[in-house]
């Protein structure tokens, strides 16, 4: 059964309405400020790591690239595990709560604006451990960057970090592990059985 107004399943419509009621507008529609990392690594090579299974399949090539180029590494969610990272990005609250503590020992955290500050503080992070990753949480707006703020959600953390590399001043951007969910049996190089990969659930989780 679908909701007459939104056209989505009624159980999701109810969940979204409850979310909108309980979460304040400063979380649902946060004020976005230009990031401090703009042009922080001008001219450097960058490697963006996604968490697809190919991240391990091409481990020899990746390690050779790291030794040869010494790039700035941006990793999404848990993708820092095999090779480390300079920055680890999170836009999903559940993944942040699950992997954030381990990630903080690997590099500096880039945390999306829709993850509330009180959630970040609940893990004991001071301001030195993390920065905001400002973007507009919309798939309707056209792609663009204004004052270092990404004007859409880029469809996920991997592409968002690719754009972030450009904002940081990358001289070139290489990617690994961004498989695009082409493997229907295995989305990640690690097991994540209780995080369902559907557009609606990912959208709700961001709240």
């Amino acid at each position: 059964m679908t909701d007459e107004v939104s056209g989505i399943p009624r159980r999701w419509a109810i969940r979204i309405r409850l979310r909108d009621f309980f979460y304040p507008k400063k979380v649902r529609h946060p004020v976005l400020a230009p990031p401090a990392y703009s042009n922080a690594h001008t001219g450097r090579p960058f490697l963006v790591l996604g968490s697809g299974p190919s991240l391990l399949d091409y481990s020899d090539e990746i390690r050779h690239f790291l030794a040869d180029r010494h790039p700035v590494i941006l990793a999404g969610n848990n993708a820092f595990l095999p090779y480390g990272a300079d920055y680890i990005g999170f836009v999903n609250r559940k993944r942040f709560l699950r992997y954030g503590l381990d990630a903080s020992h690997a590099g500096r955290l880039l945390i999306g604006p829709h993850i509330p500050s009180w959630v970040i503080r609940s893990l004991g992070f001071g301001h030195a451990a993390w920065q905001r990753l400002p973007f507009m949480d919309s798939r309707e707006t056209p792609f663009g960057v204004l004052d270092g703020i990404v004007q859409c959600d880029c469809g996920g953390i991997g592409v968002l970090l690719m754009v972030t590399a450009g904002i940081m001043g990358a001289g070139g951007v290489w990617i690994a592990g961004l498989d695009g969910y082409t493997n229907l049996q295995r989305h990640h190089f690690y097991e994540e059985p209780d995080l369902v990969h559907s557009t609606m659930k990912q959208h709700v989780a961001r709240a």
Side-chain angles (χ1 to χ4, degrees):
M1 185 174 295
T2 59
D3 180 75
E4 293 180 359
V5 176
S6 63
I8 65 175
R10 181 166 295 177
R11 63 191 181 95
W12 285 114
I14 293 173
R15 188 169 179 177
I16 291 172
R17 287 170 186 161
L18 288 172
R19 178 199 62 186
D20 291 342
F21 177 79
F22 285 108
Y23 290 103
K25 289 184 178 180
K26 69 178 182 180
V27 175
R28 296 289 304 128
H29 305 286
V31 176
L32 303 178
Y37 52 69
S38 291
N39 298 314
H41 302 284
T42 301
R44 291 281 307 279
F46 274 70
L47 177 62
V48 175
L49 300 178
S51 56
S54 68
L55 193 65
L56 298 184
D57 296 339
Y58 293 91
S59 61
D60 290 343
E61 293 86 344
I62 293 171
R63 293 188 188 282
H64 178 77
F65 179 83
L66 294 176
D68 184 55
R69 296 295 187 100
H70 304 287
V72 177
I73 303 176
L74 303 182
N77 301 315
N78 217 16
F80 66 92
L81 283 176
Y83 312 104
D86 298 289
Y87 300 90
I88 303 98
F90 292 95
V91 297
N92 179 288
R93 183 191 302 192
K94 186 177 288 188
R95 289 196 175 100
F96 170 68
L97 289 172
R98 175 172 293 182
Y99 307 127
L101 280 175
D102 289 337
S104 68
H105 298 299
R108 193 164 194 191
L109 305 181
L110 301 177
I111 303 175
H114 301 86
I115 297 178
S117 295
W118 67 265
V119 173
I120 301 170
R121 291 194 300 269
S122 72
L123 294 185
F125 295 137
H127 286 293
W130 62 282
Q131 292 177 265
R132 281 296 184 192
L133 178 63
F135 68 95
M136 294 180 63
D137 190 16
S138 172
R139 296 190 179 185
E140 304 300 325
T141 55
F143 172 78
V145 177
L146 181 62
D147 294 330
I149 301 171
V150 184
Q151 301 297 296
C152 62
D153 71 356
C154 294
I157 185 62
V159 177
L160 181 60
L161 289 178
M162 292 171 61
V163 179
T164 301
I167 295 171
M168 289 184 172
V173 180
W174 287 258
I175 61 174
L178 270 70
D179 298 355
Y181 299 109
T182 54
N183 186 334
L184 299 180
Q185 302 301 318
R186 190 179 179 204
H187 293 296
H188 305 289
F189 70 86
Y190 56 90
E191 296 298 325
E192 197 174 57
D194 58 336
L195 284 177
V196 179
H197 301 282
S198 72
T199 301
M200 184 58 66
K201 288 194 175 183
Q202 290 297 319
H203 181 66
V204 171
R206 283 187 183 176

